[in-house]
Amino acid sequence: AQSVSQHNHHVILSEAASLELGCNYSYGGTVNLFWYVQYPGQHLQLLLKYFSGDPLVKGIKGFEAEFIKSKFSFNLRKPSVQWSDTAEYFCAGGNRDDKIIFGKGTRLHILP
Amino acid sequence: GAVVSQHPSWVICKSGTSVKIECRSLDFQATTMFWYRQFPKQSLMLMATSNEGSKATYEQGVEKDKFLINHASLTLSTLTVTSAHPEDSSFYICSASGRNTGELFFGEGSRLTVL
């Protein structure tokens, strides 16, 4: 069955630390992958997306993600986090023109 | 960027009544809209996929007679929670996908509380 799984449910980091949030998917064929962020009290926003091409995708606010097909992974990274990055992060994936499935989310808490 | 708007953002109703939530794409035509439900501290659970002009496709375990979805135009989809019960209290989020974009744009969400 199609699925998206996120390894970390809750991550706590200090400011300036490096971040990597894991995401694995189980899809056949061409897959579209996304990372969304939900800041406290706000709605979901797209951080970045991968459809095809360069597997290293750069998004907004200094985030990037790397699509590794052999590992079925699409991990989110940021070299140096800020307090304002405190939010919940959702990995999502789907085949083109099909429904998109979300992972369970990772709650990131940055200590000032 | 594209904007998707939901209304109402917050609704309280009595048990047994029906509630309608609207989802509008404001600056693009949405051929496909998705309805999600988000429980506290949990991820988004896809409820159904609605395509303009056709019947919605419901996910396994979602009662189609309880959660009525109508996608009558390229800019509007509605979710009606019929005969609501307290267990239907949740945060409902819609998203819209434009033609050939593959990207989802999310509404602000609608918080339903059933007393």
Side-chain angles (χ1 to χ4, degrees), chain B residues 83-94:
Chain B
S83 187
H85 290 285
E87 58 265 30
D88 298 325
S89 298
S90 190
F91 196 57
Y92 293 88
I93 304 174
C94 77

Side-chain angles (χ1 to χ4, degrees), chain A residues 1-75:
Chain A
Q2 299 168 331
S3 68
V4 174
S5 58
Q6 293 180 239
H7 316 305
N8 318 98
H9 298 299
H10 194 187
V11 173
I12 302 173
L13 293 173
S14 297
E15 273 193 310
S18 65
L19 169 72
E20 180 160 2
L21 301 181
C23 173
N24 286 92
Y25 66 92
S26 64
Y27 277 87
T30 303
V31 61
N32 297 335
L33 295 162
F34 310 83
W35 275 97
Y36 285 88
V37 61
Q38 189 172 28
Y39 295 103
Q42 296 186 29
H43 61 100
L44 283 163
Q45 301 172 39
L46 180 68
L47 268 181
L48 48 80
K49 62 187 178 185
Y50 171 79
F51 286 177
S52 63
D54 189 345
L56 184 61
V57 180
K58 294 202 183 293
I60 61 172
K61 304 186 181 186
F63 286 92
E64 66 178 29
E66 186 173 10
F67 171 62
I68 302 179
K69 190 174 181 179
S70 60
K71 295 184 179 180
F72 297 92
S73 69
F74 189 58
N75 293 354

Side-chain angles (χ1 to χ4, degrees), chain B residues 50-103:
Chain B
S50 83
N51 295 298
E52 184 263 337
S54 63
K55 288 184 179 179
T57 303
Y58 289 82
E59 294 300 300
Q60 192 172 13
V62 178
E63 299 174 62
K64 60 176 133 181
D65 294 331
K66 179 161 189 66
F67 298 100
L68 300 178
I69 291 172
N70 183 276
H71 193 160
S73 76
L74 284 170
T75 59
L76 174 65
S77 176
T78 60
L79 168 69
T80 302
V81 182
T82 62
S83 187
H85 290 285
E87 58 265 30
D88 298 325
S89 298
S90 190
F91 196 57
Y92 293 88
I93 304 174
C94 77
S95 67
S97 172
R99 286 196 173 98
N100 299 318
T101 64
E103 181 177 343

